[in-house]
Amino acid sequence: MHPPTSRDRLSAAGSALGGVGPAIRPPVILSIAALLLAATVGMGPWLFAAPARAAAAQSSGTQAQQTPSAQSAPKGQQPPLASGKIESKVKVVTVYATVRDKKSKIVSDLTKDDFALAQDGAAQTVTYFARDTDVPLTIGPLVDTSYSTRHVLGAERDASYSFLNDLLRPDKDKAFLIHFDREVELLQDLTSSRDKLKAAIAMLDTPGRDDEDQGGGQPHFHAGTLLYDAIFLASDEILKKQQGRKALIVLSDGVDRGSKKDLEDAVESAQRADTAVYSILFGSEEEHEHGGGFGHGGGGPGGHGPYGYPGGGYPGGGGGGGGYPGGGGQRRNPQHEQGDNGKKVLQRISSETGGTFFEVSKKLTIDQIYAQIAEELRNQYSLGYTPSPSDSSSSYHKIQVTLKNKDLTVVAREGYYSAQ
């Protein structure tokens, strides 16, 4: 009997919770109702995940051997004196890094001695180093299909298929596809089949509009952009169970509306899954109509933007405000201000997970952005180390990767959780 796939687990969730309502399309809907019910009973967002996590824990890299127990001793005899539990725990942390020069060109000829690595401020010894990461790649595009994206979906479909078709290596790499708007839906489970991925990408579409409003006769569209929930579910239910290099590609304006998870949950779930998040920000419909980057044009690097936010906090977090900057459930900012905060949200997600932020523009088309992401994924350095003893009061540990050559820039994840 084959082990359950991600689709099986998601389908089981709907059955266990009494159904999630009719699906828009044949693929399974990751209904937010599952999040609500699971949170109510205090068992996490997906009840069905516990057996899989238990099995994963048994096959982890930490090994333990215990002395015989009293139950194993013959009747009437005392068990042999135990010398204590013998444990061998070796935690190897792997960090994938991308290096660029001042002209934003990929640098792929460095050695281990060119890098320095620290955890929680303490220098670490890099015990494993490789320039050519030939390990399997698992990648998941998360496509925003809310109504605001209707002007870019055609270009997104074409570019997404070309990207996956060129990047995936047969019998080694896998991909899945999720779209999100007022719900999160898995259009294609993990597969190496280009035909299946092409068919799933063709299904990307914005939600249909409701019947005309009885009052003014004007149609209105379903609201909702569950960005944080999409990242959380993709990381926690699919990528967390995979080995090797893992990446999410998020295409969105960065403005969340209605997620039950908040920004911090989304970032943490990706970090716990050892997953880099590459963010692609598209402009408004007005910018698109004036040639805003979905055609052909000159190229230029993406890269990270500033990470300082007004008021000392991160916009979009907290969940309770429906994802609107400022929280409190009030939509008090104009659309352009929401877009600015959406940009900062995507920048933060990519920065903290070791991915890169890109913004579609006249000079940087979505095709060119995908080409840069593919180049990064093919030219990463792999650094492995065994952490020296550090503060055990927290399960989260900061990672700092630096280069001796200050003219070069390195991108790597900013931390990891020891209890994964």
Side-chain angles (χ1 to χ4, degrees):
M1 182 174 180
H2 296 290
T5 64
S6 300
R7 185 181 298 280
D8 295 331
R9 293 192 298 271
L10 298 173
S11 179
S15 300
L17 296 171
V20 295
I24 296 178
R25 307 183 182 96
V28 179
I29 294 176
L30 311 186
S31 173
I32 205 59
L35 286 170
L36 281 170
L37 179 57
T40 302
V41 299
M43 296 181 67
W46 297 100
L47 303 179
F48 60 87
R53 293 196 182 104
Q58 293 177 358
S59 61
S60 67
T62 301
Q63 299 179 346
Q65 179 180 355
Q66 297 189 11
T67 56
S69 64
Q71 286 79 0
S72 64
K75 186 175 181 180
Q77 295 183 18
Q78 294 295 324
L81 292 176
S83 58
K85 183 169 66 174
I86 302 173
E87 291 187 351
S88 174
K89 294 184 178 180
V90 178
K91 172 70 176 181
V92 177
V93 179
T94 301
V95 182
Y96 295 104
T98 302
V99 180
R100 292 184 180 272
D101 61 18
K102 284 186 173 181
K103 296 182 179 180
S104 296
K105 300 296 184 182
I106 290 285
V107 178
S108 58
D109 59 352
L110 301 181
T111 68
K112 180 175 71 173
D113 294 334
D114 292 310
F115 291 84
L117 194 151
Q119 175 178 303
D120 300 329
Q124 305 293 317
T125 300
V126 177
T127 56
Y128 172 81
F129 179 85
R131 289 191 297 271
D132 183 13
T133 54
D134 195 39
V135 295
L137 171 66
T138 305
I139 193 163
L142 307 185
V143 183
D144 184 344
T145 52
S146 59
Y147 182 64
S148 63
T149 70
R150 65 194 183 280
H151 60 289
V152 300
L153 269 180
E156 287 180 355
R157 280 192 292 262
D158 294 341
S160 296
Y161 177 70
S162 296
F163 169 70
L164 293 175
N165 187 59
D166 294 341
L167 182 67
L168 297 182
R169 298 165 294 181
D171 303 323
K172 177 169 287 189
D173 303 326
K174 293 182 179 180
F176 63 94
L177 179 67
I178 285 176
H179 85 100
F180 61 94
D181 38 62
R182 63 181 183 270
E183 57 206 356
V184 180
E185 185 177 6
L186 178 67
L187 294 179
Q188 175 58 53
D189 201 354
L190 283 170
T191 183
S192 296
S193 169
R194 288 175 170 81
D195 290 338
K196 290 182 178 180
L197 290 168
K198 184 177 182 179
I201 290 170
M203 297 170 67
L204 292 171
D205 199 2
T206 54
R209 62 186 183 182
D210 293 328
D211 294 332
E212 290 189 349
D213 184 81
Q214 294 181 356
Q218 296 295 324
H220 61 281
F221 292 81
H222 294 289
T225 309
L226 307 187
L227 168 64
Y228 303 149
D229 288 345
I231 294 174
F232 179 88
L233 293 170
S235 300
D236 193 63
E237 290 304 328
I238 300 178
L239 290 172
K240 192 174 182 180
K241 302 171 178 66
Q242 305 305 310
Q243 301 297 318
R245 293 178 297 155
K246 295 171 280 187
L248 290 175
I249 313 294
V250 176
L251 296 94
S252 177
D253 62 2
V255 179
D256 185 284
R257 297 182 179 89
S259 281
K260 302 308 174 184
K261 295 296 180 179
D262 60 22
L263 177 58
E264 282 67 30
D265 293 326
V267 171
E268 180 178 333
S269 65
Q271 290 174 329
R272 288 187 179 275
D274 292 338
T275 297
V277 181
Y278 291 82
S279 301
I280 302 176
L281 174 71
F282 52 77
S284 67
E285 186 170 8
E286 289 77 13
E287 292 172 337
H288 172 66
E289 290 174 350
H290 291 85
F294 279 85
H296 299 282
H304 297 82
Y307 305 113
Y309 304 120
Y314 294 110
Y324 292 114
Q330 300 296 320
R331 185 174 182 174
R332 59 181 180 82
N333 292 324
Q335 182 62 39
H336 73 274
E337 188 173 341
Q338 290 185 35
D340 290 343
N341 282 311
K343 177 177 180 178
K344 293 173 183 177
V345 164
L346 294 179
Q347 286 174 331
R348 180 195 168 186
I349 294 171
S350 291
S351 173
E352 295 193 11
T353 60
T356 304
F357 166 82
F358 298 90
E359 183 171 4
V360 177
S361 67
K362 293 181 181 179
K363 295 183 178 180
L364 188 63
T365 68
I366 191 169
D367 291 311
Q368 292 165 335
I369 289 173
Y370 267 136
Q372 290 192 31
I373 294 175
E375 184 184 30
E376 288 195 10
L377 291 173
R378 291 190 183 110
N379 293 278
Q380 290 180 316
Y381 296 92
S382 178
L383 296 85
Y385 71 98
T386 301
S388 56
S390 60
D391 183 9
S392 60
S393 61
S394 173
S395 64
Y396 180 76
H397 301 282
K398 291 285 291 181
I399 297 175
Q400 184 180 22
V401 180
T402 56
L403 295 166
K404 293 181 180 178
N405 186 343
K406 302 305 179 185
D407 291 332
L408 302 179
T409 302
V410 60
V411 175
R413 59 173 169 158
E414 295 185 355
Y416 76 96
Y417 286 84
S418 56
Q420 297 198 30

